[in-house]
Each structure stands twice: as structure tokens, then as C-alpha cells.
Amino acid sequence: MTDCILIGAPVDCGKKRRGCLMGPDAYRTAGLAEALASLGHGVTDIGNVAPDKVEVAPPRNGVVHELALNVGWTAALMRAARAQAPNGFPIFMGGDHALSLGSVAGMAAHAEEIGRPLFVLWLDAHSDFHTPDTTTTGNLHGTPLGYVTGREGFDAFPELPATVPVSQVGMIGLRSVDPEERAALEDGEATLVDMRMIDEIGIAKPLSEFLAKVEAANGMLHVSLDVDFLDPAAAPAVGTTVPGGATVREAHLAMEMLSDSGLVASLDLVELNPSLDERGRTAALMVELTASLMGRRVFDRPTPRGH
């Protein structure tokens, strides 16, 4: 069994719509720790991380939102990831996707320290491959993969101890990619799986192929699960809804395949906005998906009340 380390990351500065700061407590209320413990895992909740206080020069791109606060969160979460990764399986409870600027950078540093390549699986409607210079919205939750892969324009951010080559990134569930991001990604070797591909051939084949790459390289895998990977009909509690997302069953299949692989070393749960939820059902679904990733199977599921 695994020692799971819950890390609260109430980041709410990666975009302008507020609410993700309530995410960590929503996961706690939805029983994330209890679900993991019921599977036999050890669980430690270290509480919520706080951002470093930093001063930065004004951004070159005037639309960038809350640059200093995003930099402060990145530094703090990178440090938390590096500190906790040797102790078990970090689960970063967000918080918007800007938290991954720090979580992935910290996990990449840890992977380099132990001599293994870090691969990143991005389960998201968006590619989040912008930089502070290319973003047109100013929302830095759209930049984590740009940062950790070493794109230019992140001068204000902490220097990366290790970068993640684009060839070690897999993006599944894509259905909203800006033209600038598309052009940059087409130059690289990332695994790109949009919803059309999933409609045509299913989610299992491309995910299996990506996992085979990770295994062949003796890699470790960081999974970043955005609520908007899911169709908004199943998961409404997100400010960046894009119709046509993954079904609940597709998402559970992906989590079960990830569990079977034995390759996953850390997890982000991002973009949950409890103020947009319906009686906590999105938080509950994200907890269920995490349980599938950590080993729960269909026949292990608790029977719903009344059955």
C-alpha cells in the first residue's frame, strides 16, 4: 500500500473568477482521506500550503493577472513537492491549475534527484502551454506546461531545477487549444489526444501507448486532473467548462489503467470551484476518480444507500 500525502493548495490567482481556494476543504469534506484509507493506504494531511511573499518586476505583458502571487505559490508548492515526494505519494488538492507550476516543477526536481525521468499526463480540456508573454487572457493557470517544459518568458518565476521535455508530456481530453499553443505544440513531440480521437478510437489505446513510453524509459508519472477534463454535465463545478468532455466511465477507465500501470507517483486535483457545484457532486466524483487511481475497482465500490 501507499503513503498518501494530502497537500492543500488553495491557489485562486491563476484566473480572475474566484472560488477555487475552497477546493482543498471541499475534498476533505467529500471524504478523500477516508476513501484512501478504506483502500488500505496510509494518509497524512499536512494542511494547506501558503504562498511565499515575493516582489517581481511588472510583467512585459500588461494583461498578466497577479504575477507576484502566482510566483509566490510556485515557489512554495515546488518546495512542498520536493519535501514530500521522498515520503510517499503527494496529492495536491487545488486550487486552480496554476498550482501545477509548482507541483510539477517540484516533482521534476525530485525525479532528477533519484535519477528517473518525469513524465506528465495532463487530463484537461486545455493544453495550458502558454507563457506570460503569449497569454491573451492574462490567466496564468494556462501556463504550467509552458513553464515546466522550459519555454521562454518565465523570468519572474523560480529557476527550474529540472525541466520536463515536451516528448514526456501527454495531453488527453483536449478540446480548447489556442492557435499560439497549437503552433508551439506541433513543433514538439508531445502526445496529443483530443476528444475527436477519443470518440473515434476510445481512450484506452492512446493512454496505453503513452504509458508504454513511460515504462520503457523507467519513468515516473505525474498526473494532473482538471475538473474540465470531464463533461460539464457530470462535473459542473468549474469556471472553464467546455462541452463534450470525458464521460464518467471514460474517466474511471483512465484512472484504473493508471492504477494498473504502477507508474503514477503524484497527482494534482485542480480547478474545483465549490461555489459552482451542485450539492458537492463534482467534489464527490473527483474523490471517486482518485480512489480508482489508487486501486478501487468496480466490485470494490461501497453499495449506495437504499440498495
Side-chain angles (χ1 to χ4, degrees):
M1 291 295 123
T2 303
D3 289 322
C4 297
I5 303 164
L6 305 185
I7 302 170
V11 180
D12 210 15
C13 54
K15 74 274 172 281
K16 298 172 186 72
R17 185 169 193 166
R18 303 298 301 277
C20 288
L21 82 166
M22 298 184 286
D25 284 342
Y27 289 122
R28 294 179 175 111
T29 302
L32 178 58
E34 292 82 355
L36 295 169
S38 74
L39 296 169
H41 300 301
V43 183
T44 302
D45 187 339
I46 68 166
N48 289 351
V49 175
D52 290 0
K53 290 183 169 57
V54 299
E55 294 184 5
V56 299
R60 289 184 294 272
N61 181 352
V63 301
V64 167
H65 179 65
E66 295 278 17
L67 177 61
L69 190 52
N70 278 282
V71 171
W73 271 115
T74 300
L77 287 167
M78 187 188 305
R79 192 166 58 247
R82 295 182 77 171
Q84 297 302 329
N87 303 328
F89 186 102
I91 299 176
F92 298 88
M93 305 182 296
D96 69 46
H97 223 151
L99 76 85
S100 301
L101 290 153
S103 64
V104 180
M107 291 306 300
H110 169 68
E112 178 150 290
E113 286 165 1
I114 63 173
R116 294 178 67 189
L118 183 75
F119 286 70
V120 177
L121 180 60
W122 209 253
L123 299 174
D124 197 327
H126 309 87
S127 57
D128 296 338
F129 202 63
H130 270 297
T131 76
D133 292 339
T134 66
T135 175
T136 56
T137 65
N139 296 333
L140 294 180
H141 69 169
T143 65
L145 285 178
Y147 176 55
V148 299
T149 57
R151 294 193 73 190
E152 295 182 356
F154 290 90
D155 322 53
F157 284 79
E159 186 174 345
L160 289 167
T163 57
V164 178
V166 174
S167 60
Q168 291 169 204
V169 174
M171 304 180 191
I172 296 182
L174 295 170
R175 55 196 189 279
S176 178
V177 180
D178 292 343
E180 195 280 336
E181 293 176 292
R182 185 181 296 114
L185 285 166
E186 286 172 350
D187 290 340
E189 300 173 346
T191 297
L192 306 175
V193 180
D194 63 10
M195 288 307 300
R196 174 175 173 167
M197 184 182 294
I198 292 172
D199 288 341
E200 290 177 348
I201 66 172
I203 201 169
K205 185 175 186 291
L207 178 55
S208 179
E209 290 172 353
F210 181 70
L211 291 172
K213 280 179 61 175
V214 182
E215 186 171 23
N218 189 33
M220 50 197 292
L221 182 58
H222 177 89
V223 175
S224 200
L225 175 59
D226 190 314
V227 171
D228 73 22
F229 168 68
L230 297 153
D231 191 85
V238 62
T240 51
T241 54
V242 184
T247 66
V248 172
R249 184 60 222 145
E250 286 168 336
H252 273 295
L253 174 59
M255 295 300 115
E256 290 170 12
M257 290 177 64
L258 288 165
S259 176
D260 290 346
S261 77
L263 296 167
V264 183
S266 46
L267 173 67
D268 298 329
L269 301 173
V270 304
E271 293 290 345
L272 176 69
N273 185 335
S275 69
L276 302 176
D277 211 355
E278 298 169 0
R279 298 167 129 192
R281 71 186 181 106
T282 306
L285 175 56
M286 292 288 278
V287 168
E288 288 288 312
L289 291 173
T290 303
S292 286
L293 175 64
M294 299 307 294
R296 183 184 286 173
R297 292 293 173 268
V298 170
F299 290 111
D300 298 330
R301 293 183 190 283
T303 303
R305 290 178 185 173
H307 288 257

